[in-house]
Amino acid sequence: HRRADARVARYFDAESTNASSTKLGVMQSAEKRPRYALIDCEDDARWHGLAQCIVKLFGRDDEIWHHYRACDGELPSKEMFATYDGVVVSGSSHKAEWDTNGTPRWTRALGEWLRRATDDRHPEYMRDADGGKKKVKILAMTFAGYLCALANGGAVGMIPNGGHVVGATAMKTTEAWRRSKAFVKARETYGEPMDGKGETLVVHQNRAQRIERLPEGATATTTSGDGEIEMWTTRDGRCLAWQHSFSDGVASVLSHKVESGLEARRSEKSAAAAADVKPDDLPNNDAGFLIGVARAFLRDGALASDEDEEYLRTRRREARETLSWAARRREEIMAARAARAARPGAANAKRDAANDGSTAPAIVEREESARTQAMAARAFTKIADTVNAELSLAASEVRFLQNANETAAREYDAVGESIADLHVFIGALKAKDEAMKPKLDAILAIEGEVDALETLARAVDKRVSALELRLK
């Protein structure tokens, strides 16, 4: 994966900077404003504008925000990471997977980056640009939160029986989290949550996965009624992750993005309620409060004096406007499809559209063309990932065989050295044998003389015994 030059988010107005290490010192001296990074994990064209929406929700106009497209392999380097005050990692329409067959390369790269950036056992991510200690805050949302859990040894699974959680969920918060700097500062700055204490927070859910086990040392900050983990922090508290959708803050313009897959699961009552939402309405839940908590978390509990409840509501409305084009586009597309379905044939539809000046069919054709291009791009990416996996497997086999050959060669070398040592030892024994042979011959001659003397001694002994008998 290529490491991107950090660029200011492409969809919003800010000053561009070059993130190459050669210009890092110049950049730091020139820029004293707070610096943040957005790692964008979405490549679906239907979510165009998401980066600007996130920066509106969690950023300020007087801050510098850099935009990285994780799907294109863009991730902050260690040097760039050290210059940031906080990092936001977005959600995604992709499934969160880690180290499995078919996992896209960019997902594995992002997971590895999250593992290093959120694990306090990696000191290279605990330093600022001057080498001092620094704890960069990281906000991981939905997909990113799941990937962070997987990369750090946690477990994430699909909701059983193909389930999909959609709608409001009440979360219970821990007392320790309610006492945290971010939570307390959010209450002081943006107002109280719906229950007045923050013991229960109501959020919008739209997900098909869930946290099954947290990483070692991680702590759950909120849980749902059935005990399911909703929000959590890493061991040293530098990362806050959640699995609910922040998009309920702009629900009136985002609902169409999930309608197609969930229409069968929605009741007529909920559909009617969604239809009654006015364009300027904000949802009646704790979405705004949690966005405020995240803003305070990214700034380590320090918020600007000009921020208050109305400031946050304005930011949320501005965030919604960045995606409002999608709602208008959907209305145009749906109207065009309805008009085309009501006419007897495609030829008549085109002729009628030309006669009444309607551009709806053209909009539909552009939409279908964009969708086809997106599908083709995803298919190409999957094929590329498959080919890459096969090549990686072949390369792994070659490396294995090479290592095996090298190991065998080392063992054969060791055996050869042992045999050579044995030859030397045997030669030394032969030399010693040759030197000992004359001495052994002399010893044998002496043994012969000793035998003769022993025979003579026995004869003398017999003669003495005979003489003694005579004397008696």
Side-chain angles (χ1 to χ4, degrees):
H1 288 270
R2 60 190 177 87
R3 182 174 293 161
D5 286 345
R7 288 162 286 190
V8 175
R10 300 165 179 82
Y11 302 138
F12 43 86
D13 184 19
E15 183 179 350
S16 177
T17 59
N18 188 317
S20 64
S21 58
T22 57
K23 297 183 180 180
L24 194 57
V26 176
M27 181 184 63
Q28 290 170 330
S29 61
E31 296 291 353
K32 298 300 184 182
R33 290 181 291 168
R35 296 163 51 85
Y36 295 86
L38 166 62
I39 300 179
D40 188 355
C41 305
E42 186 56 76
D43 59 354
D44 192 324
R46 293 174 297 175
W47 287 93
H48 179 80
L50 179 63
Q52 185 178 6
C53 176
I54 291 175
V55 173
K56 284 292 185 183
L57 288 175
F58 301 107
R60 289 177 54 87
D61 294 337
D62 56 359
E63 296 172 339
I64 296 174
W65 280 74
H66 290 169
H67 182 207
Y68 296 85
R69 286 195 179 104
C71 297
D72 293 336
E74 299 178 356
L75 295 170
S77 64
K78 290 185 296 184
E79 295 77 14
M80 286 305 302
F81 181 77
T83 68
Y84 295 129
D85 297 284
V87 176
V88 177
V89 191
S90 79
S92 177
S93 57
H94 292 272
K95 177 183 176 182
E97 298 176 300
W98 172 254
D99 200 20
T100 59
N101 292 331
T103 302
R105 288 172 293 173
W106 71 266
T107 302
R108 293 195 296 269
L110 175 60
E112 179 62 23
W113 187 91
L114 284 169
R115 183 180 67 83
R116 291 180 176 275
T118 59
D119 190 341
D120 57 2
R121 289 170 291 189
H122 289 278
E124 66 270 26
Y125 285 88
M126 295 284 288
R127 297 284 187 269
D128 59 18
D130 298 325
K133 290 185 177 181
K134 183 179 182 181
K135 185 186 294 186
V136 179
K137 298 293 187 178
I138 299 175
L139 174 63
M141 299 186 292
T142 54
F143 167 85
Y146 293 138
L147 196 58
C148 183
L150 289 169
N152 284 286
V156 174
M158 303 300 294
I159 296 176
N161 303 318
H164 197 116
V165 178
V166 180
T169 299
M171 305 187 305
K172 296 294 184 182
T173 61
T174 63
E175 184 178 355
W177 193 52
R178 292 196 299 272
R179 293 199 306 266
S180 67
K181 290 191 294 184
F183 200 97
V184 172
K185 190 63 177 180
R187 292 181 65 179
E188 295 175 353
T189 305
Y190 304 120
E192 298 291 346
M194 289 178 60
D195 69 350
K197 298 179 180 179
E199 296 178 353
T200 301
L201 301 176
V202 180
V203 297
H204 179 78
Q205 297 271 24
N206 175 24
R207 57 183 175 84
Q209 292 183 273
R210 64 178 184 176
I211 297 288
E212 295 181 344
R213 186 185 69 251
L214 286 176
E216 180 184 356
T219 303
T221 59
T222 66
T223 56
S224 56
D226 56 359
E228 185 170 340
I229 299 167
E230 299 289 345
M231 300 177 64
W232 56 280
T233 60
T234 51
R235 175 179 16 228
D236 62 350
R238 82 166 83 177
C239 178
L240 173 64
W242 64 40
Q243 67 176 2
H244 65 270
S245 175
F246 81 91
S247 60
D248 53 351
V250 285
S252 60
V253 297
L254 292 179
S255 60
H256 72 283
K257 297 180 183 298
V258 296
E259 268 185 354
S260 58
L262 303 175
E263 191 65 36
R265 299 184 177 91
R266 295 177 60 189
S267 65
E268 294 181 0
K269 181 178 179 180
S270 62
D276 290 338
V277 176
K278 297 179 181 179
D280 194 43
D281 283 348
L282 292 175
N284 186 26
N285 57 23
D286 289 303
F289 178 75
L290 282 172
I291 291 171
V293 173
R295 291 176 63 89
F297 170 79
L298 288 170
R299 294 158 183 83
D300 200 23
L303 293 171
S305 59
D306 62 339
E307 296 195 22
D308 54 18
E309 185 174 2
E310 185 55 33
Y311 176 90
L312 182 57
R313 291 180 68 86
T314 300
R315 299 292 295 190
R316 293 170 67 191
R317 290 192 180 98
E318 291 175 352
R320 182 179 58 193
E321 286 302 315
T322 64
L323 296 174
S324 61
W325 68 272
R328 293 193 298 270
R329 183 181 184 187
R330 174 180 178 271
E331 292 172 0
E332 293 171 352
I333 292 172
M334 295 302 293
R337 288 176 178 170
R340 184 170 60 178
R343 291 168 183 167
N348 293 337
K350 290 184 179 180
R351 183 176 63 252
D352 294 342
N355 292 336
D356 61 13
S358 173
T359 61
I363 294 173
V364 174
E365 291 177 2
R366 289 197 300 271
E367 169 67 13
E368 292 177 349
S369 176
R371 184 177 303 155
T372 301
Q373 292 177 3
M375 291 176 63
R378 284 194 290 271
F380 178 80
T381 300
K382 289 181 180 178
I383 292 172
D385 288 336
T386 301
V387 173
N388 180 71
E390 292 178 353
L391 293 175
S392 298
L393 178 61
S396 298
E397 291 176 351
V398 171
R399 287 194 297 271
F400 172 77
L401 291 175
Q402 181 181 359
N403 293 335
N405 289 334
E406 292 176 354
T407 302
R410 287 194 296 270
E411 292 179 354
Y412 288 145
D413 289 342
V415 171
E417 291 176 358
S418 299
I419 293 174
D421 292 341
L422 286 175
H423 281 302
V424 172
F425 178 70
I426 292 172
L429 288 178
K430 287 182 177 180
K432 291 180 179 179
D433 181 66
E434 293 295 332
M436 291 292 294
K437 191 172 181 180
K439 296 179 181 180
L440 291 174
D441 292 339
I443 291 173
L444 291 175
I446 293 172
E447 287 182 350
E449 295 178 356
V450 170
D451 291 339
L453 289 174
E454 288 179 348
T455 302
L456 181 60
R458 286 194 295 271
V460 172
D461 185 62
K462 289 181 179 179
R463 183 65 177 168
V464 170
S465 297
L467 292 174
E468 287 179 349
L469 290 173
R470 288 180 181 180
L471 291 174
K472 290 180 180 179

